[in-house]
Amino acid sequence: KSKNLILISVDTSDLKESFSIEEALKQIVGFNNVKIKELREKNTIYEINSIYSVKHINFGLESKNLKLIKTDMDKNLFSVESY
């Protein structure tokens, strides 16, 4: 099965929350499949390279009341939103 490349932007204004999101992503897709692509002033962009789809990742994030929301029509970039 081919791997999906998914970019996820995580707001880093709340460090505890952003660390919790990073840990959740690693639990869902595997520690070695989550890499920091870019550090910005207010967010971090993670690169997920995994066989899991956005739908699968969202299923895993559901227990934490989080989900991935597409942010840009041109790229495979998502943000993490709580609900």
Side-chain angles (χ1 to χ4, degrees):
K1 197 170 182 182
S2 67
K3 289 191 171 191
N4 297 307
L5 178 64
I6 301 166
L7 301 175
I8 300 175
S9 175
V10 176
D11 182 353
T12 52
S13 59
D14 181 344
L15 286 176
K16 186 177 176 189
E17 177 71 11
S18 64
F19 181 74
S20 170
I21 292 169
E22 180 183 341
E23 288 303 302
L25 290 171
K26 288 177 178 178
Q27 287 175 1
I28 295 164
V29 301
F31 187 83
N32 294 329
N33 297 322
V34 179
K35 294 183 176 48
I36 294 176
K37 178 176 174 55
E38 198 174 318
L39 291 170
R40 297 182 180 172
E41 190 176 328
K42 297 183 191 242
N43 62 4
T44 299
I45 307 294
Y46 291 93
E47 185 177 280
I48 308 287
N49 203 351
S50 168
I51 59 169
Y52 295 109
S53 67
V54 170
K55 185 177 178 181
H56 286 106
I57 295 169
N58 273 337
F59 185 72
L61 290 172
E62 207 172 82
S63 66
K64 298 183 180 346
N65 294 330
L66 298 168
K67 69 188 215 176
L68 300 180
I69 306 290
K70 193 159 187 57
T71 59
D72 191 326
M73 299 309 274
D74 299 332
K75 297 177 183 170
N76 210 7
L77 180 63
F78 295 81
S79 63
V80 180
E81 305 288 333
S82 59
Y83 63 92

